[in-house]
Amino acid sequence: MSIVYNEKKKTFSLHTARTTYQLKIGNLNYVKHLYYGATIHDEDLIYLIRRYDRGFSGNPYDSLKERTFSLDAQPQEFTTQQQGDFRINSIEVQNGDGSFSFDGRYVSHKICKGPFTLKGLPTPFAREEDTVDTLELTIEDAVTKVRVTLLYTVFEEADIIMRAARVHNGGAKTIALKRIMSMNMDFMNGRDLDLISLPGRYGQERQVERQSLTHHVHKIRSGRGISSHQQNPFIALAERNAGEDYGSCYGFALMYSGSFLAEAELDQYDQARLVMGINDRLFSWDVAPGEDFDTPAVLMTYTHKGLTRMSQNYHNFFRTNMNRSKFVRDVRRPVLINTWEAAFFSFDDVKLVEIARAAKDMGVEMIVMDDGWFGKRDDDNSGLGDWYVNEKKIRCGLTELVRQINDMDMKFGIWFEPEMVSEDSNLFRAHPDWVMEIPGRHAVRSRNQLVLDVGRKEVQDYLIQSVNRILDSANIYYVKWDINRAITDLWSNVLPAERQGEVFHRYVLGLYRVMDGIIKTHPDVMFEGCAGGGGRFDPAMLTYFVQYWSSDNTRPLDNLKLHYGSSFLYPVCSMGAHVSEASPMVPLETKAAIAMCGTFGYELDATKLSREQIETCAEMSRLYHKYYDLNFFGDYYRLSNPFEQVNLVAWETVAKDRKEALVTVITVNLTMNGPQEYIKCKGLAPDTLYHLEGGGSDLVVSGMALMHAGIPVPREIPEFTAFLYHLKALEDQ
Ligand code: DGJ
């Protein structure tokens, strides 16, 4: 059992393979946070908490004039409201009598096998071989009878602890949740913590920022209705001196695809507090007597071995416990070519067949028909919502087109943007009230399209039915599910005025229901997510999509940063990456090497390539398959930081048994007659001899030498050259 309750000490110790998390039912039945870090035994760590008379920090009434007990200074598992704790809080509830108080005290707990699940929200699953236990600990406000159950699931081997909160209204009046975080985490000493986040913008998603915690509230958030290009629902808190290979690092990843919030505060006593959950901006949720509200889950991990190990913990977990699709492990994902940058909206069935025929010689195994095949859709001003084939473009019909592609021994994929509608569409003409538009106002247009009120059941049913009808009409192997705008004009025509604050979250719940109804009912179809690139690339989405289109930016050098930033949380096998015509000065081989730090594919007009280019692509597609297992399932190491002034950008994937590795090096800045550059490997077996091939080398070198002395990278070569160094343990040759 990974969760130990010490009845005498009233401590709960949650043990993963290498970490311990401890909480305790403390004075006055407040639940205290005692520890999260490297493994300790079940001893009671209450000795860490010292109490002082803290001026201007109030004391709960029943502490009976005991002035040293203030919630303003105590580490807690979940906060109260209006009980003298002035730091950022986990809950803001307006009670039936209009007051804003919540004084949650321990009432009960339960420890059970397996992970918790949440109503309407995705959570990871446990495999047979996993040791997984759950603690459900309930606190209650004695006056209002509002209960919050704190949920903790320990995925022992993975070093992952999942948290969420469930609110139950046990009182007689409806309450309004104004803010309800999935977790609260207090650090007794936050002075030396850095906050790492993944900010960005359209075309430049998931860049990396690191800042010291200072005495104010740091907010990482999206208020765009989608998890967004601008921030990702992930943060790490790392010791100031932590690097890739050493130092304490805490990761927090929220499984939510809508507006989210992470707040971190260094308090007056240099303690740190972190909360994470649904963004409270424009949020309010009524909970009637007897009803529950579930928050989304947060996946936490800890390591004292640096940022690489933190990322690998997530990579391993995301590859095994998030998505049951056969395309995660059992069935190889084909090399694809996508028509978007090749043809945009200008294609027909003949053009598609021509592209597929030319691409076949490039080693491509699947063609994806992107935007423009449906309704009246010749540009981005019309057609969204009309999910039936445009027979002016696909004259032979979809079934026949797919047959022709399949006859070439290629697979067929298709694009949808289910959540959106164009005003110039039959769907909008039939159901103008299905869009989010506030009565008496005109909704903001973005890419000239409007957002469907996906929180409504009839909208969900329409989407499930119309997308499934297409999927069932032909032999479709793959779907790209896109969304191309943020959400504004929060409004639902089916909710009363006082419940409009629920619209954002209802949208997300509705979306998950639609995805359940389409994705989970088509286990043989491979689904890729997309949001104008990577604008909704988040952990929850990976329970549906085996991969996510990283960015509309296919410039290879920009992708070095994008992949680096994404790799803090996401594994290589989840990052959609293509070779395109962007950046003509970069050789095709280099573009392909960079796209192999992702799911690999092409995004160009194959009919326009020269014979030589086709042959280069064929070789690159062959390498994608050769290194598939290493890249998709190996341990990933960042060997350089592309945000720094570097001459080389490098990364490495190492097989789990350490018998094989691939080191990719891209030369980004080689000055004339400059110094010799070396790349040091990581994660190899020190005493193993490896056969090193690539970059003109054909040598036998020990793991020790490769890690501590490195590989010399050739000089006097053109810039933007890529080297793929393949290492194979000698006994395995
Ligand atoms: C945005 C996506 O990121 C592109 O790849 C493409 O599918 C377009 N949308 C189509 O509208």
Side-chain angles (χ1 to χ4, degrees):
M1 185 52 95
S2 54
I3 301 177
V4 179
Y5 176 52
N6 181 328
E7 212 160 344
K8 213 160 129 232
K9 305 275 186 194
K10 296 194 175 166
T11 54
F12 298 88
S13 299
L14 281 49
H15 299 291
T16 70
R18 283 160 286 260
T19 72
T20 298
Y21 185 105
Q22 198 182 76
L23 52 138
K24 178 184 179 82
I25 307 162
N27 335 31
L28 311 178
N29 281 340
Y30 287 113
V31 184
K32 284 184 196 269
H33 174 73
L34 293 184
Y35 180 75
Y36 188 26
T39 301
I40 51 152
H41 298 300
D42 302 318
E43 67 192 277
D44 184 359
L45 297 190
I46 191 68
Y47 74 91
L48 294 171
I49 300 181
R50 317 302 279 179
R51 285 167 38 182
Y52 308 95
D53 183 354
R54 301 288 199 185
F56 284 84
S57 293
N59 320 111
Y61 184 79
D62 50 352
S63 64
L64 302 176
K65 300 192 179 160
E66 166 53 73
R67 287 163 55 156
T68 65
F69 183 73
S70 173
L71 294 173
D72 209 19
Q74 294 287 309
Q76 295 154 65
E77 281 302 302
F78 207 71
T79 73
T80 52
Q81 188 186 4
Q82 297 257 55
Q83 304 304 316
D85 183 349
F86 297 98
R87 295 172 284 176
I88 48 177
N89 58 347
S90 343
I91 182 165
E92 262 171 39
V93 52
Q94 185 162 26
N95 300 306
D97 61 1
S99 67
F100 289 89
S101 278
F102 176 74
D103 188 10
R105 316 269 184 122
Y106 169 87
V107 283
S108 64
H109 76 268
K110 191 164 100 186
I111 295 173
C112 42
K113 288 243 152 281
F116 65 76
T117 54
L118 300 167
K119 201 167 160 225
L121 291 160
T123 44
F125 55 86
R127 299 166 304 163
E128 230 165 71
E129 63 266 42
D130 297 334
T131 315
V132 180
D133 299 303
T134 292
L135 165 67
E136 297 183 11
L137 184 148
T138 301
I139 55 179
E140 186 185 63
D141 181 290
V143 177
T144 60
K145 304 286 179 224
V146 172
R147 289 177 163 219
V148 180
T149 299
L150 309 178
L151 303 166
Y152 305 81
T153 288
V154 179
F155 289 89
E156 187 176 318
E157 295 81 0
D159 279 331
I160 295 277
I161 297 180
M162 171 167 71
R163 287 191 63 179
R166 172 169 298 145
V167 177
H168 175 76
N169 183 359
K173 287 187 175 160
T174 295
I175 57 169
L177 291 173
K178 305 285 182 193
R179 169 182 172 107
I180 179 70
M181 295 290 112
S182 300
M183 57 158 292
N184 179 88
M185 173 90 177
D186 283 351
F187 295 81
M188 289 170 205
N189 187 348
R191 204 172 26 225
D192 294 325
L193 286 178
D194 282 352
L195 185 153
I196 298 172
S197 59
L198 304 178
R201 57 181 182 270
Y202 171 75
Q204 300 280 2
E205 296 88 336
R206 296 172 304 285
Q207 312 288 297
V208 182
E209 260 177 26
R210 183 168 180 162
Q211 57 187 298
S212 300
L213 282 192
T214 51
H215 293 99
H216 70 275
V217 178
H218 303 249
K219 258 184 192 234
I220 306 292
R221 65 176 183 103
S222 160
R224 296 170 184 257
I226 56 175
S227 41
S228 90
H229 302 84
Q230 286 71 16
Q231 292 289 352
N232 205 262
F234 162 76
I235 67 160
L237 291 176
E239 268 176 359
R240 189 117 332 124
N241 65 353
E244 288 290 3
D245 306 311
Y246 59 86
S248 278
C249 301
Y250 298 85
F252 303 90
L254 179 70
M255 295 190 63
Y256 193 59
S257 310
S259 296
F260 72 90
L261 178 68
E263 282 180 347
E265 176 180 14
L266 188 64
D267 76 10
Q268 54 186 334
Y269 304 116
D270 290 351
Q271 305 177 112
R273 170 168 288 172
L274 169 77
V275 298
M276 204 171 195
I278 298 172
N279 194 341
D280 56 0
R281 189 174 156 257
L282 305 177
F283 171 83
S284 165
W285 193 279
D286 280 3
V287 187
E291 277 183 1
D292 289 346
F293 179 87
D294 282 358
T295 70
V298 174
L299 302 174
M300 314 193 300
T301 193
Y302 168 81
T303 176
H304 62 278
K305 297 215 160 146
L307 293 164
T308 297
R309 178 62 69 80
M310 176 199 74
S311 299
Q312 289 176 353
N313 285 352
Y314 282 119
H315 297 173
N316 289 334
F317 191 68
F318 285 7
R319 286 187 297 215
T320 49
N321 293 72
M322 295 287 262
N323 192 320
R324 294 184 194 269
S325 165
K326 63 183 185 185
F327 296 102
V328 169
R329 192 155 199 120
D330 300 338
V331 176
R332 267 199 183 201
R333 298 182 221 165
V335 177
L336 67 82
I337 191 162
N338 180 294
T339 59
W340 180 242
E341 288 184 32
F344 297 103
F345 296 99
S346 314
F347 61 84
D348 58 14
D349 46 355
V350 176
K351 177 75 183 170
L352 290 173
V353 172
E354 278 170 13
I355 294 180
R357 190 167 294 124
K360 177 107 185 120
D361 290 345
M362 296 158 58
V364 168
E365 299 156 294
M366 175 165 78
I367 181 164
V368 177
M369 177 170 74
D370 209 279
D371 194 353
W373 58 267
F374 52 90
K376 188 183 118 207
R377 183 84 169 162
D378 296 320
D379 55 34
D380 52 18
N381 294 315
S382 60
L384 288 173
D386 294 344
W387 299 112
Y388 44 82
V389 176
N390 178 337
E391 287 179 352
K392 287 198 185 119
K393 284 182 168 177
I394 312 299
R395 287 175 296 253
C396 63
L398 186 63
T399 318
E400 170 57 19
L401 173 64
V402 179
R403 198 190 54 72
Q404 288 180 33
I405 300 289
N406 289 166
D407 281 352
M408 281 182 240
D409 199 19
M410 282 181 86
K411 302 180 192 325
F412 185 88
I414 195 167
W415 178 98
F416 288 95
E417 189 176 359
E419 301 148 68
M420 297 290 145
V421 65
S422 309
E423 285 154 284
D424 184 2
S425 70
N426 291 336
L427 181 68
F428 182 77
R429 283 182 281 274
H431 299 286
D433 65 311
W434 280 11
V435 302
M436 287 203 208
E437 188 167 47
I438 302 164
R441 297 175 189 269
H442 292 296
V444 169
R445 296 191 182 103
S446 184
R447 211 193 190 202
N448 212 7
Q449 60 196 48
L450 299 178
V451 185
L452 288 171
D453 178 5
V454 178
R456 277 173 74 162
K457 181 151 183 312
E458 57 274 46
V459 174
Q460 297 161 18
D461 290 342
Y462 168 79
L463 296 178
I464 293 171
Q465 215 183 61
S466 53
V467 174
N468 281 350
R469 194 174 47 232
I470 293 287
L471 295 189
D472 299 339
S473 71
N475 187 21
I476 290 169
Y477 196 78
Y478 160 108
V479 168
K480 177 176 170 188
W481 182 310
D482 205 350
I483 164 172
N484 281 296
R485 63 162 289 179
I487 304 174
T488 58
D489 300 277
L490 286 196
W491 183 261
S492 175
N493 284 314
V494 292
L495 287 177
E498 65 280 10
R499 300 194 75 162
Q500 294 295 330
E502 299 180 10
V503 171
F504 256 154
H505 184 54
R506 284 185 184 273
Y507 183 100
V508 179
L509 293 175
L511 172 65
Y512 293 143
R513 178 171 175 261
V514 173
M515 295 201 299
D516 279 334
I518 296 171
I519 299 178
K520 300 277 163 72
T521 57
H522 289 87
D524 291 328
V525 178
M526 173 182 156
F527 285 85
E528 175 161 355
C530 175
R536 200 166 59 187
F537 191 171
D538 60 56
M541 282 290 153
L542 290 186
T543 64
Y544 294 99
F545 301 114
V546 288
Q547 57 195 52
Y548 212 94
W549 183 225
S550 296
S551 181
D552 272 357
N553 183 352
T554 51
R555 291 173 194 212
L557 300 182
D558 280 347
N559 270 275
L560 293 174
K561 290 182 179 158
L562 250 147
H563 289 167
Y564 171 87
S566 306
S567 77
F568 274 73
L569 182 63
Y570 302 103
V572 167
C573 63
S574 67
M575 296 184 223
H578 294 169
V579 175
S580 81
E581 283 170 31
S583 308
M585 75 288 185
V586 177
L588 257 181
E589 291 87 340
T590 302
K591 292 179 176 182
I594 296 171
M596 270 182 233
C597 183
T599 58
F600 194 77
Y602 298 92
E603 183 108 9
L604 39 73
D605 188 345
T607 63
K608 297 202 175 119
L609 296 186
S610 66
R611 199 65 236 157
E612 198 191 335
Q613 288 172 316
I614 297 259
E615 275 159 21
T616 305
C617 290
E619 173 59 9
M620 293 300 122
S621 304
R622 191 187 66 74
L623 288 181
Y624 158 77
H625 275 301
K626 178 172 174 195
Y627 299 132
Y628 186 97
D629 285 350
L630 266 177
N631 282 332
F632 275 49
F633 310 125
D635 287 335
Y636 177 84
Y637 292 87
R638 294 175 285 266
L639 300 184
S640 68
N641 178 352
F643 289 92
E644 288 169 358
Q645 185 62 38
V646 285
N647 294 334
L648 308 174
V649 175
W651 61 92
E652 181 189 12
T653 45
V654 183
K656 289 280 176 200
D657 61 7
R658 299 198 289 175
K659 289 188 173 163
E660 199 182 353
L662 181 69
V663 179
T664 306
V665 181
I666 313 291
T667 57
V668 287
N669 176 35
L670 278 187
T671 51
M672 190 197 153
N673 198 24
Q676 175 62 53
E677 301 278 353
Y678 298 89
I679 282 292
K680 290 182 183 169
C681 301
K682 291 186 180 179
L684 302 177
D687 295 324
T688 297
L689 287 177
Y690 290 90
H691 181 199
L692 161 70
E693 253 188 316
S697 301
D698 189 351
L699 302 163
V700 172
V701 192
S702 69
M704 231 178 293
L706 289 163
M707 291 193 288
H708 302 309
I711 303 174
V713 179
R715 287 210 42 81
E716 308 308 332
I717 37 136
E719 266 172 3
F720 312 132
T721 299
F723 295 107
L724 296 176
Y725 293 99
H726 185 218
L727 307 175
K728 198 132 177 67
L730 219 50
E731 69 267 21
D732 263 35
Q733 304 275 313

